[in-house]
């Protein structure tokens, strides 16, 4: 059991999340990719908390904060998606150009 | 508290394989409903990793918040914006995917290099383990008190904001003559019947 294994898994998950965030065209899938990236960051925090700071466990406290903020982000993100879908009648990321030009 | 090292290693390998496979499927599968359910698999294997890292409370919070709330919320979102729509193909989409894949692979290689080359200052103390809940509680009410309270305010703001954003702008007015129907029609749904077989995004 070494710290590096967890960090490598978290790095792989983060890269998968970035790939999905950039390439997917469905809005819901973009939200899911953001959740993947947040989970990767959480895994990093927890691994550091267990291996570098096993008594103080500040990392676990941070992970709890990240989890609560991710929940709020998911709620607001889905509300925005619903609102845009109602106005534009599409779920294609390429057609959301409200703030682009 | 501590399992044998070999058991831990095998568990970690299984959880990592399950998590990365599910994550790849979330990103790559065509059917978005499969993606949403596999996202639950990612969250559950993440909770297993937290248990391996001696953090039972955060694992429970992960299952409750992510699997119980966020995943269900995403499934509801999929059901609400379920539109059968053929996405218009954009020119040279494969090029963008190739470049993104290259950038992600490069980022992963960079992170791997830095993780392997850093000499970590591994602490030799035994982890608090089951006492983590009490320790987290002490942190919440002493040195992290302000962020804790701010998180509650943030959750309230998110609640109100989500309601305001997702609320319907107009209420379909009913003329006094016609009888009021019992079924409420959601304007989000397409008017035709939705068949479950055809949920794929394009």
């Amino acid at each position: 059991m070494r710290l590096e294994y967890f960090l490598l898994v978290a790095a792989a998950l983060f890269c998968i999340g970035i790939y999905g965030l950039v390439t997917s065209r469905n809005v819901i899938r973009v939200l899911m990719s953001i959740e993947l990236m947040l989970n990767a960051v959480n895994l990093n925090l927890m691994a550091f908390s267990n291996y570098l700071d096993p008594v103080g466990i500040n990392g676990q406290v941070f992970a709890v904060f990240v989890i609560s903020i991710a929940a709020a982000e998911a709620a607001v993100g889905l509300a925005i998606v619903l609102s845009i879908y109602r106005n534009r009648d599409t779920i294609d990321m390429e057609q959301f150009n409200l703030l682009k030009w | 508290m501590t399992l044998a090292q070999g058991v831990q290693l095998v568990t970690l390998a299984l959880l990592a394989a399950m998590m990365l496979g599910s994550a790849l499927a979330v990103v790559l599968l065509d059917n978005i409903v499969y993606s949403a359910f596999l996202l639950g698999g990612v969250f559950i294997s993440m909770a297993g990793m937290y248990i391996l890292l001696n953090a039972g409370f955060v694992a429970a919070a992960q299952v409750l918040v992510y699997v119980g709330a966020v995943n269900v919320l995403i499934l509801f979102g999929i059901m609400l914006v379920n539109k059968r729509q053929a996405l218009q193909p954009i020119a040279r989409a494969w090029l963008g995917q190739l470049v993104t894949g290259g950038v992600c692979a490069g980022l992963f290689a960079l992170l791997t290099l830095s993780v392997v080359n850093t000499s970590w200052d591994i602490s030799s103390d035994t982890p608090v383990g089951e006492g983590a809940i009490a320790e987290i509680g002490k942190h919440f009410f002493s040195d992290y008190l302000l962020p804790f309270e701010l998180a509650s305010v943030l959750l309230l703001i998110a609640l109100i904001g989500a309601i305001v954003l997702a609320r319907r702008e107009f209420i379909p007015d009913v003329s006094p003559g016609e009888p009021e129907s019992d079924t409420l029609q959601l304007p989000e749904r397409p008017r035709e019947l939705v068949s479950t077989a055809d949920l794929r995004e394009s």
Side-chain angles (χ1 to χ4, degrees), chain B residues 27-81:
Chain B
V27 171
L28 297 177
L29 277 186
D30 270 345
N31 195 329
I32 187 114
V33 181
Y34 293 167
S35 296
F37 279 108
L38 282 167
L39 190 69
V42 176
F43 292 154
I44 287 176
S45 36
M46 186 68 78
M49 288 209 171
Y50 291 168
I51 291 176
L52 274 183
L53 287 170
N54 300 309
F57 173 71
V58 187
Q62 167 91 6
V63 171
L64 279 178
V65 175
Y66 270 108
V67 184
V70 173
N71 206 3
V72 172
L73 197 67
I74 285 176
L75 277 170
F76 268 101
I78 290 172
M79 285 189 267
L80 282 176
V81 298

Side-chain angles (χ1 to χ4, degrees), chain A residues 31 34-35 38 63-81, chain B residues 65-66 69-71 73-74 150-163 165:
Chain A
L31 282 179
I34 294 175
E35 297 297 331
L38 283 167
V64 172
F65 282 130
V66 173
I67 286 176
S68 65
I69 289 179
E73 174 263 342
V76 176
L78 274 171
I80 292 173
V81 166
Chain B
V65 175
Y66 270 108
V70 173
N71 206 3
L73 197 67
I74 285 176
L150 281 182
S152 66
V153 175
L154 178 92
L155 283 175
L156 180 66
I157 293 171
L159 177 74
I160 297 174
I163 291 173
L165 279 175

Side-chain angles (χ1 to χ4, degrees), chain A residues 1, chain B residues 4-17 52:
Chain A
M1 287 310 262
Chain B
Q5 291 287 321
V7 178
Q8 283 192 15
L9 208 58
V10 170
T11 316
L12 174 65
L14 278 178
L15 286 174
L52 274 183

